[in-house]
Amino acid sequence: MTGNIIELTGLTRRYGQFTAVDNLFLTVSTGEIFGLLGPNGAGKSTTILMMLGLTEPDSGTVRVCGLDPTTHPVEVKKKVGYLPEEVGFYDDMSGLRNLIYTACLNGIPESEARIRAEKLLERVGLANEMHKKTGKYSRGMRQRLGLADVLIKDPEVIILDEPTLGIDPAGVREFLDLIVELSREQKITVLFSSHHLHQVQQVCDRVGLFVGGRLLAAGDVKSLASQLFGKSPYTIEAGIDFPPAHAGEAPGPEERKQAIRQALLNTEGVSSVSEENGILQIACARDLTGEVAAAVLGAGIRLTSLNKREYGLDDIYYRYFEGGATNE
Amino acid sequence: MNNPAVTLTGLNNRNRSRAKHPFRVIMEKEMSDHLGGWRFIILTAIIALTCLGSLYTALSNMGQAVKPNDPEGSFFFLKLFTISDGTMPSFMVFISFLGPLLGIGLGFDAINSEHNRGTLSRILSQPIHRDYLINAKFVAALAVISAMLIVLGLTVMGAGLVSLGIPPTAEEFVRMIFFILLSIIYVAFWLNLSILFSVLFRQPATAALSAIAVWLFFTVFYPLIVNMILKPMEPSAAASPYHMVAFEQLRLTLMRVMPNQLFSEATTTLLMPSVRSLGPLTMEQMIGTVPGPLPLGQSLLLVWPQVTGLIAGTIISFVISYILFMRREIRPR
């Protein structure tokens, strides 16, 4: 685990007015499994294409295995295996022939290519289907063949772009296990792009969160949560209701709502309070469930429900990808 | 349990001298795709059948074709390629008509089908230069076409030899070889044009239609347009010869934009040695000429501009598709 095998500095790529990748800094160290997590259209694929020299950055530099893929694409592609999002094979050739073809393109003599291809097909569990035409392969089989195709050149880095798309859950599990196993066995650095956070959580040593062409945060899942939510990793949801107010007595519900919000905000450790449909959302640094309950009841408000939530990648995901960043 | 890690690192110390160059790998794959595909079989069948037809008409009309005092009398064998009885075009005409179809047929889906199958990004992420793919595809298709045309040409010669019983002279043989080479260049032009369309258009059907549209435009509409433009400019019968020659030159220049015009001029000169000029000749120039065939060297000199034009057209469309392909961003599907 020495040094960085992938280094992106200030990488920018624009398509007309649209900036797909915006001043991206990213390093991946040798031997780790790095997850690039982001919604569709976040610029993950564009970043990957730039790492392979298949598209040129507008500014910034890419270094993969110490080489610049824009000027030395062939050297980089010798060391980097890439599994595209929707991998295609020559349908009228068998899986084995497809692999041998790739191996020959990598300068491996045909006799050795065959030995390697057979070994790898066995490894990815396609030993019985190797002579079948790839046109008849199922989606999961194609992905496994794709993995074998990437590994046949004996790469230092493999880049997998949404490799689990369209595989059934059992297949995904198997596929991910295979990736982890192979990576550990052969000391291959893996860059894994996905929008499925659970899969990323399952296999990756480190995760980079990618939204709108920017890297929001990078690190392991735990440090990611603290990076993103800093002072408030807990959210407490409190359902509130107001007992029917007697005429002339006490302030109306709106004022009382304001009062309880203010009271909660004054509590130590609470960073923000919001209210929607009678549910208070209280973001806080510690577990303040008891204090919140006491404060609500103390204000003479009926407490209908109380729920404590801890942040996982799930929340990161929803907060940043789907709802956009609220609660700021 | 096999451990691939051990095996793979063991193979790292392989002897690389036996490995094939990636360019050759792609070329061989493309060639075997062409040769094994239905498309090539159908195209070959069409061309072989028309060949047989024209050979049959040529052979059955050989008797009438030979006249006493014919300046081309010594080029009896070449008539196999050029004569017809009016019902069926000659071999030469067939090639000029079907050659484009052959070129378009083998090139129209060169790049876009790779893209649609999702293999383009996979192949280009292998350690090869991007131009290997497009160059290898061109060379492979050209090799297949050359092999086919050479086989056809030699078959026609052989059939003629058997049925006529007269062997071709050395000069006739060389002229026929040049004719085949010329056909290959002509088909290469259409092949490159269709590869260009395959880079331009995502859908193979669009690319094929565009290439066929260009072909139809040149064979059918372009001559009509040229005639329409020239009709009002036609000099009267009383015009000076200078005017007439200038008009004829203009007409030829306009016609020579068409690749098929270049091809037919060049093949006519090669296969009919008595053709001594492709432009207008004045009576003054004709005076004192002995009717007789041109030597091979002179015929070749005569068609040199036509051949150069065809090669230039081929190179231009190749360069355009090359530049477009090299600058394109390779996205998976």
Side-chain angles (χ1 to χ4, degrees):
Chain A
M1 303 261 177
T2 46
N4 295 327
I5 199 150
I6 298 175
E7 281 181 48
L8 311 179
T9 25
L11 203 61
T12 304
R13 175 77 169 110
R14 289 183 205 90
Y15 294 100
Q17 290 291 312
F18 175 68
T19 307
V21 177
D22 190 3
N23 198 23
L24 174 69
F25 289 83
L26 177 72
T27 54
V28 177
S29 42
T30 313
E32 74 175 342
I33 303 183
F34 188 89
L36 210 50
L37 184 64
N40 295 330
K44 290 176 301 202
S45 296
T46 309
T47 310
I48 289 172
L49 291 185
M50 284 191 280
M51 286 182 206
L52 288 159
L54 291 178
T55 182
E56 288 176 22
D58 286 323
S59 65
T61 56
V62 187
R63 294 199 83 75
V64 178
C65 306
L67 294 160
D68 184 348
T70 317
T71 51
H72 300 87
V74 173
E75 284 78 2
V76 168
K77 286 189 276 187
K78 268 190 188 131
K79 297 181 173 178
V80 181
Y82 167 52
L83 182 64
E85 195 173 327
E86 273 185 66
V87 63
F89 292 97
Y90 295 106
D91 287 346
D92 47 354
M93 284 165 38
S94 71
L96 184 65
R97 288 261 18 128
N98 265 298
L99 279 197
I100 293 174
Y101 182 52
T102 309
C104 287
L105 287 181
N106 279 285
I108 301 168
E110 194 164 335
S111 50
E112 284 176 28
R114 174 174 287 269
I115 299 170
R116 269 190 193 216
E118 282 172 355
K119 283 244 148 63
L120 276 170
L121 282 166
E122 203 173 301
R123 192 71 185 75
V124 298
L126 289 173
N128 295 325
E129 284 91 4
M130 64 165 85
H131 296 295
K132 225 160 103 175
K133 291 193 170 167
T134 48
K136 299 215 161 64
Y137 276 25
S138 71
R139 176 86 204 164
M141 284 157 76
R142 290 173 87 85
Q143 283 316 100
R144 278 184 284 161
L145 183 61
L147 192 61
D149 185 75
V150 163
L151 290 169
I152 200 158
K153 68 168 86 161
D154 204 2
E156 290 176 24
V157 185
I158 55 176
I159 297 176
L160 311 171
D161 195 355
E162 304 272 7
T164 53
L165 216 65
I167 316 182
D168 58 69
V172 167
R173 166 125 226 139
E174 216 174 284
F175 189 76
L176 292 177
D177 288 347
L178 194 61
I179 292 173
V180 176
E181 246 176 82
L182 288 168
S183 149
R184 301 283 181 251
E185 261 170 33
Q186 298 178 32
K187 306 270 175 293
I188 301 175
T189 311
V190 179
L191 186 80
F192 179 96
S193 123
S194 178
H195 58 253
H196 286 288
L197 62 147
H198 293 294
Q199 294 169 9
V200 168
Q201 213 164 3
Q202 203 177 325
V203 296
C204 295
D205 301 324
R206 285 205 308 141
V207 180
L209 267 184
F210 213 68
V211 179
R214 292 163 184 273
L215 192 70
L216 283 185
D220 55 40
V221 174
K222 210 175 262 168
S223 75
L224 212 56
S226 66
Q227 271 184 54
L228 283 170
F229 296 98
K231 293 168 272 37
S232 48
Y234 293 96
T235 289
I236 295 159
E237 293 176 335
I240 49 172
D241 191 17
F242 301 99
H246 303 289
E249 194 200 323
E254 279 311 310
E255 284 96 78
R256 285 160 78 185
K257 242 182 243 175
Q258 279 306 321
I260 182 71
R261 281 183 71 156
Q262 208 45 55
L264 284 170
L265 276 174
N266 290 338
T267 315
E268 197 232 315
V270 172
S271 53
S272 73
V273 179
S274 63
E275 192 268 351
E276 200 184 321
N277 298 331
I279 294 177
L280 283 171
Q281 301 258 5
I282 303 126
C284 42
R286 291 177 288 124
D287 185 355
L288 291 176
T289 322
E291 285 84 342
V292 169
V296 171
L297 292 173
I301 298 170
R302 205 183 282 161
L303 189 61
T304 54
S305 69
L306 194 61
N307 183 22
K308 179 183 78 179
R309 284 174 54 198
E310 256 175 276
Y311 281 117
L313 265 183
D314 255 325
D315 304 271
I316 299 171
Y317 189 80
Y318 289 118
R319 190 151 163 189
Y320 279 89
F321 301 167
E322 301 194 339
T326 53
N327 217 5
E328 294 298 329
Chain B
M1 180 76 202
N2 289 310
N3 186 350
V6 173
T7 343
L8 293 186
T9 35
L11 284 170
N12 263 342
N13 312 319
R14 60 183 168 254
N15 171 14
R16 279 189 181 265
S17 61
R18 282 186 298 127
K20 278 187 230 161
H21 193 270
F23 187 84
R24 233 188 98 191
V25 176
I26 306 178
M27 211 182 101
E28 284 175 6
K29 190 229 161 233
E30 289 301 322
M31 282 176 70
S32 72
D33 276 2
H34 282 314
L35 292 175
W38 274 107
R39 191 187 325 170
F40 184 71
I41 296 172
I42 291 170
L43 284 171
T44 313
I46 294 175
I47 291 175
L49 281 177
T50 48
C51 245
L52 269 180
S54 60
L55 187 66
Y56 176 77
T57 36
L59 283 175
S60 48
N61 288 293
M62 261 323 198
Q64 289 95 34
V66 188
K67 301 176 200 79
N69 303 325
D70 187 350
E72 283 177 21
S74 52
F75 293 97
F76 183 66
F77 207 81
L78 285 181
K79 290 197 182 298
L80 264 183
F81 291 88
T82 54
I83 59 169
S84 80
D85 61 353
T87 53
M88 187 102 175
S90 64
F91 184 75
M92 191 178 85
V93 175
F94 261 129
I95 292 292
S96 85
F97 189 69
L98 292 176
L101 194 67
L102 187 64
I104 292 169
L106 291 188
F108 74 92
D109 63 348
I111 299 297
N112 48 18
S113 74
E114 293 272 347
H115 187 267
N116 292 345
R117 272 183 297 196
T119 43
L120 190 60
S121 60
R122 196 169 61 86
I123 295 304
L124 291 183
S125 64
Q126 306 307 330
I128 54 166
H129 290 286
R130 194 185 280 199
D131 55 344
Y132 280 5
L133 186 72
I134 189 163
N135 293 356
K137 275 182 178 277
F138 170 64
V139 174
L142 193 64
V144 169
I145 289 169
S146 311
M148 178 183 148
L149 287 176
I150 290 171
V151 166
L152 271 180
L154 293 179
T155 312
V156 170
M157 267 190 244
L161 193 62
V162 169
S163 52
L164 294 176
I166 309 169
T169 62
E171 194 187 327
E172 279 177 313
F173 183 73
V174 175
R175 276 177 185 271
M176 279 184 275
I177 295 298
F178 274 111
F179 164 67
I180 293 170
L181 280 180
L182 196 65
S183 314
I184 292 171
I185 295 172
Y186 179 58
V187 177
F189 169 79
W190 290 101
L191 175 69
N192 261 323
L193 194 72
S194 66
I195 289 180
L196 171 62
F197 283 125
S198 87
V199 175
L200 276 180
F201 299 113
R202 274 287 142 80
Q203 294 303 324
T206 318
L209 275 177
S210 325
I212 289 175
V214 172
W215 172 47
L216 278 181
F217 174 76
F218 276 134
T219 40
V220 180
F221 298 110
Y222 189 74
L224 287 179
I225 294 170
V226 169
N227 278 339
M228 268 163 57
I229 295 172
L230 290 181
K231 201 87 187 166
M233 295 158 71
E234 204 164 17
S236 67
S240 71
Y242 176 78
H243 263 110
M244 288 203 185
V245 170
F247 174 77
E248 194 57 20
Q249 291 285 13
L250 175 67
R251 197 186 64 82
L252 271 174
T253 313
L254 285 177
M255 290 299 271
R256 279 175 185 157
V257 172
M258 296 195 297
N260 31 345
Q261 174 75 13
L262 293 180
F263 177 71
S264 70
E265 283 182 10
T267 45
T268 313
T269 315
L270 278 177
L271 293 179
M272 299 178 172
S274 59
V275 173
R276 28 180 63 220
S277 165
L278 292 166
L281 281 180
T282 56
M283 285 307 284
E284 202 179 17
Q285 287 169 304
M286 295 285 283
I287 287 171
T289 52
V290 185
L294 280 185
L296 176 63
Q298 292 302 311
S299 286
L300 283 180
L301 269 183
L302 199 56
V303 301
W304 201 245
Q306 273 76 4
V307 176
T308 316
L310 274 180
I311 294 177
T314 313
I315 292 174
I316 287 171
S317 46
F318 185 72
V319 164
I320 296 174
S321 43
Y322 186 89
I323 291 172
L324 283 175
F325 184 64
M326 292 303 276
R327 298 181 59 104
R328 143 122 27 125
E329 179 185 85
I330 306 298
R331 285 222 158 239
R333 238 187 286 207

